[in-house]
């Protein structure tokens, strides 16, 4: 089946030809096979390595992957389990592996303070202490995250728990429960990744790759299919919809399931954000998952240059002639208890402007704030630019209490770890810092448009137990900025 032409209005080469027809089966990342020892620890291994893959059919593009040519296996663990990952760096340069969305001790967070030299191995270990959610992992080397992610390094980390098991949602991995990482790429004439000419929002590609390939289709054999969609791009926003206008049910966002399914016809995702959606299929009737032009663009200067006019096909869902019946979606999912900060909590502000947060660029040697262990805090994030930005916090999930003082729309009313910030709007976030105090290793907060992050639109905080004094490492002695 032929797809509608791509409209690529980015500042880079405009692709006017029809895109690759959806003739290639969607690759589903393999589930990592952990070894569970007598100690009960679930042990995974990952190897960051060089390889090559046909992102576009017929052209081999040099890529990087975890334990493979591109992307990485899906790690999966249950709430309460102890996990260990042995990460080996077989790349020619240093990298790190950050567990995006994970509540994890700071020294195992995998940010720019946990670099893995070429040939070295890093072995984080922690206990899963958060509800079921769709998380992901990716490199976080300061100044080079965009390049490492663009080359193919990212994977899913799924968390399961009993509350979610009890809901009877589609959960058969690779059958009716499908992880989808959506990314944009640009290629040189020779078929290599084109890493030149970032716009002010970063590298924008004219080719969409879904789970690493362009032109993917997936054959659905069940009446309902759950898509766990990750925007794994550097700077591009997507507005996902089904091409025939049928709606879908949003059941979860970054940090877990919503209190109840939300019926939508489209959902916008900025880099790093995830959405779990359930699509209801009809036998024999195909439907295309598409990204539509971004319509929320008030205050955005150069929307066209930032890719807001572009439309892309992401995946064709082919429905089998007979579909295995699926139960109706539960009317309620996971209850949401609102986080309330005490009056005594500081109200911290984060002004996003011009590659900076609060007028400062990232300094590995500067701790921007310390937070008492156990604190519930309200953070006020403002986009003071005419550019798109978003805001991501490590270690915690947050609730969006308000957008410009008003309650957030339903799609933003669940647990999040990354929020898109429209120009000149103010986002009030509530979060709680539990379990992990560390006077030495900080967590990060940053804009997740990777070019902005690399430019230094990032800061650091320590979580401190009572009586602990900050004792950060001197990173300059380690050859870091
Ligand atoms: Cu997904 Cu600090 O990042
Ligand atoms: Cu993160
Ligand atoms: Cu930004």
């Amino acid at each position: 089946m032929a797809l509608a032409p791509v409209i690529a209005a980015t500042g880079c080469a405009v692709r006017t030809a029809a895109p690759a027809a959806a003739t290639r089966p969607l690759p589903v990342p393999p589930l990592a096979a952990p070894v569970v020892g007598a100690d009960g620890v679930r042990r995974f291994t990952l190897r960051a390595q060089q390889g090559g893959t046909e992102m576009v059919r017929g052209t081999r593009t040099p890529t990087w992957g975890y334990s493979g040519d591109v992307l990485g296996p899906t790690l999966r663990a249950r709430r309460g389990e102890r996990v260990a990952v042995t990460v080996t760096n077989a790349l020619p340069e240093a990298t790190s592996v950050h567990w995006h969305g994970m509540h994890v001790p700071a020294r195992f967070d995998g940010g720019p303070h946990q670099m893995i030299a070429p040939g070295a191995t890093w072995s984080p270990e922690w206990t899963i202490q958060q509800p079921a959610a769709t998380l992901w992992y990716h490199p976080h080397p300061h100044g080079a995250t965009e390049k490492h992610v663009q080359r193919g390094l990212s994977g899913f980390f799924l968390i399961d728990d009993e509350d979610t098991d009890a809901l009877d949602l589609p959960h058969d991995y690779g059958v009716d429960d499908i992880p989808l990482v959506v990314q944009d790429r640009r290629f040189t004439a020779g078929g290599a990744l084109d890493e030149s000419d970032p716009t002010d929002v970063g590298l924008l590609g004219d080719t969409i790759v879904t789970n690493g390939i362009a032109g993917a289709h997936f054959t659905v054999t069940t009446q309902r299919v759950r898509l766990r969609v990750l925007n794994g791009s550097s700077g591009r926003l997507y507005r996902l919809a089904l091409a025939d206008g049928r709606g879908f049910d949003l059941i979860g966002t970054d940090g877990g399931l919503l209190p109840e399914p939300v019926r939508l016809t489209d959902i916008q995702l900025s880099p790093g954000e995830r959405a779990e959606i359930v699509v209801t299929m009809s036998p024999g009737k195909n439907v295309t998952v598409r990204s539509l032009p971004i319509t929320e663009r008030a205050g955005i200067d150069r929307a066209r240059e930032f890719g807001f006019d572009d439309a892309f096909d992401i995946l064709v869902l082919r429905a089998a002639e007979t579909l295995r019946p699926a139960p109706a979606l539960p009317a309620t999912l996971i209850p949401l208890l609102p986080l309330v900060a005490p009056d005594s909590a500081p109200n911290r502000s984060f002004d996003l402007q011009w590659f900076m947060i609060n007028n400062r660029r990232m300094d590995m040697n500067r701790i921007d704030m310390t937070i008492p262990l156990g604190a519930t805090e309200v953070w006020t994030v403002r986009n003071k630019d005419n550019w798109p930005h978003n805001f991501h916090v490590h270690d915690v999930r947050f609730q969006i209490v308000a957008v410009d003082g008003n309650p957030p729309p339903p799609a933003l009313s669940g647990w999040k770890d990354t929020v898109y910030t429209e120009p000149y709007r103010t986002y009030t976030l509530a979060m709680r810092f539990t379990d992990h105090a560390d006077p030495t290793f900080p967590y990060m907060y940053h804009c997740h448009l990777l070019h902005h992050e690399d430019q230094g639109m990032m800061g650091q905080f320590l979580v401190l137990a009572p009586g602990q004094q900050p004792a950060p490492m001197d990173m300059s002695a380690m050859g870091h900025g």
Side-chain angles (χ1 to χ4, degrees):
M1 134 182 202
L3 301 183
V6 168
I7 307 149
T10 54
C12 55
V14 174
R15 174 181 282 245
T16 47
T23 53
R24 308 171 73 192
L26 176 79
V28 176
L31 277 176
V35 175
V36 184
D39 55 5
V41 180
R42 178 174 274 256
R43 291 176 198 282
F44 298 95
T45 55
L46 290 176
R47 184 172 185 270
Q49 61 191 58
Q50 295 174 284
T53 188
E54 285 188 31
M55 288 190 153
V56 173
R57 187 200 279 280
T59 305
R60 186 174 188 276
T61 296
T63 50
W64 290 359
Y66 293 110
S67 308
D69 285 303
V70 72
L71 302 174
T74 297
L75 310 189
R76 192 155 201 174
R78 295 185 72 79
R79 184 177 196 172
E81 258 181 332
R82 188 135 184 101
V83 298
V85 191
T86 302
V87 186
T88 302
N89 181 7
L91 297 170
E93 58 184 271
T95 189
S96 78
V97 181
H98 166 59
W99 319 103
H100 179 129
M102 193 73 76
H103 179 46
V104 60
R107 69 186 187 283
F108 296 142
D109 189 43
H113 293 269
Q114 285 93 35
M115 294 300 288
I116 315 169
T121 290
W122 178 60
S123 304
E125 182 176 328
W126 71 95
T127 302
I128 305 282
Q129 290 172 288
Q130 66 195 87
T134 300
L135 312 183
W136 64 300
Y137 59 94
H138 64 79
H140 217 300
H142 186 38
T145 295
E146 178 174 52
K147 187 177 76 176
H148 286 207
V149 173
Q150 281 271 332
R151 289 182 180 179
L153 294 174
S154 37
F156 285 90
F157 198 132
L158 307 184
I159 297 178
D160 300 303
D161 68 13
E162 272 149 38
D163 298 339
T164 297
D165 290 351
L167 289 172
D168 205 7
L169 295 166
H171 63 271
D172 198 353
Y173 186 84
V175 178
D176 64 4
D177 183 355
I178 314 295
L180 290 181
V181 50
V182 183
Q183 299 172 304
D184 57 334
R185 292 290 184 272
R186 190 152 38 104
F187 300 95
T188 65
L193 291 169
D194 183 351
E195 297 173 351
S196 65
D197 297 328
T199 70
D200 281 332
V201 297
L203 288 167
L204 287 182
D206 53 12
T207 302
I208 296 299
V209 294
T210 305
N211 290 356
I213 69 163
H217 66 79
F218 179 79
T219 299
V220 182
T221 56
T222 53
Q223 188 188 1
R224 277 183 247 290
V225 62
R226 173 189 196 168
L227 306 176
R228 302 179 187 244
V229 188
L230 157 66
N231 180 346
S233 304
S234 288
R236 188 180 278 288
L237 310 183
Y238 299 98
R239 187 159 70 92
L240 298 176
L242 298 165
D244 61 6
R246 84 176 71 170
F248 53 84
D249 293 284
L250 177 72
I251 59 168
T253 51
D254 308 338
L257 294 185
L258 296 171
E260 54 201 37
V262 176
R263 191 76 192 157
L264 295 174
T265 51
D266 62 72
I267 184 168
Q268 182 177 297
L269 293 178
S270 67
E273 289 185 288
R274 287 87 69 207
E276 293 192 33
I277 66 172
V278 175
V279 178
T280 301
M281 304 292 292
S282 310
K285 193 163 186 305
N286 299 349
V287 61
T288 299
V289 181
R290 179 168 290 166
S291 179
L292 305 176
I294 305 299
T295 46
E296 291 290 347
R297 53 174 80 183
I300 295 276
D301 201 14
R302 299 183 284 157
R304 186 177 172 81
E305 183 189 331
F306 296 158
F308 280 41
D309 287 345
D310 301 348
F312 293 103
D313 288 346
I314 288 171
L315 176 70
V316 173
L317 295 172
R318 294 183 178 171
E321 287 303 328
T322 45
L323 299 174
R324 194 177 81 211
L329 279 184
T332 59
L333 300 169
I334 300 293
L336 186 91
L337 299 176
L339 281 178
V340 179
D343 290 339
S344 58
N347 189 340
R348 303 186 198 268
S349 299
F350 301 81
D351 287 350
L352 311 181
Q353 194 167 29
W354 187 246
F355 299 144
M356 291 185 287
I357 300 179
N358 294 338
N359 280 311
R360 298 200 287 201
R361 294 209 188 198
M362 166 80 165
D363 180 342
M364 297 272 291
N365 281 312
R366 185 188 68 229
I367 298 299
D368 294 278
M369 65 185 83
T370 59
I371 296 172
L373 182 65
T376 303
E377 296 205 345
V378 170
W379 290 18
T380 302
V381 181
R382 290 188 199 89
N383 182 352
K384 297 182 78 175
D385 255 337
N386 53 3
W387 289 358
H389 292 295
N390 70 12
F391 192 75
H392 168 54
V393 188
H394 287 208
D395 184 47
V396 293
R397 316 184 287 163
F398 55 72
Q399 293 176 355
I400 302 170
V401 178
V403 180
D404 281 348
N406 303 310
L412 296 181
S413 47
W415 290 102
K416 298 281 292 168
D417 57 51
T418 307
V419 61
Y420 179 63
T421 56
E422 287 182 53
Y424 312 118
R425 286 198 191 282
T426 299
Y427 297 76
T428 312
L429 316 177
M431 62 199 91
R432 180 175 292 156
F433 299 84
T434 56
D435 303 307
H436 307 306
D438 191 325
T440 301
F441 290 105
Y443 294 107
M444 309 293 130
Y445 54 86
H446 56 91
C447 177
H448 215 290
L449 276 65
L450 301 180
H451 179 59
H452 293 184
E453 175 184 341
D454 283 343
Q455 292 289 322
M457 203 168 182
M458 177 155 63
Q460 321 193 86
F461 64 95
L462 290 171
V463 177
L464 297 177
Q468 269 181 341
Q469 293 301 319
M473 288 205 308
D474 181 358
M475 298 306 290
S476 47
M478 299 181 64
H480 289 285

